[in-house]
Amino acid sequence: MANLKLGKLPDRTPSKITITVSAGLSQALKDYAALYRQTYNESETVADLIPFMLVGFLEGDRAFAKARKESLPAAGMSEKSRRVSGSGSE
């Protein structure tokens, strides 16, 4: 087998997750999408925005990052790989 500098790419298969949210959260997400449209002059659906919101939330949680780095199974995945795999449309 060849000794390639580039390792095997991570699984990039998107996962579909279905959730139920409260009426208040649903409205807040719609309001966020409206503000996004007003700010950037581009229309994105709530479903398109949520994966990026979740990535931002998880990347900003220091306790989660520390626990993941120290003991969780996905700790071997690079930060760039997590961002790339987590930023696709779900």
Side-chain angles (χ1 to χ4, degrees):
M1 181 186 307
N3 188 13
L4 299 177
K5 186 168 187 154
L6 177 65
K8 185 176 179 192
L9 297 178
D11 183 7
R12 295 171 311 253
T13 305
S15 297
K16 182 171 179 125
I17 299 173
T18 303
I19 63 168
T20 302
V21 299
S22 69
L25 178 55
S26 178
Q27 187 58 54
L29 290 167
K30 290 174 189 174
D31 292 345
Y32 191 95
L35 182 58
Y36 181 95
R37 181 174 48 254
Q38 180 183 359
T39 302
Y40 298 111
N41 202 28
E42 291 187 25
S43 184
E44 299 289 349
T45 66
V46 168
D48 289 334
L49 293 172
I50 288 174
F52 295 94
M53 293 172 163
L54 291 173
V55 167
F57 175 83
L58 293 174
E59 286 180 347
D61 189 322
R62 291 178 186 241
F64 173 70
K66 182 179 178 187
R68 194 170 197 197
K69 185 177 182 179
E70 291 174 354
S71 64
L72 295 177
M77 183 185 269
S78 74
E79 184 64 30
K80 184 176 180 183
S81 296
R82 280 196 295 271
R83 257 187 253 127
V84 170
S85 66
S87 62
S89 260
E90 266 77 0

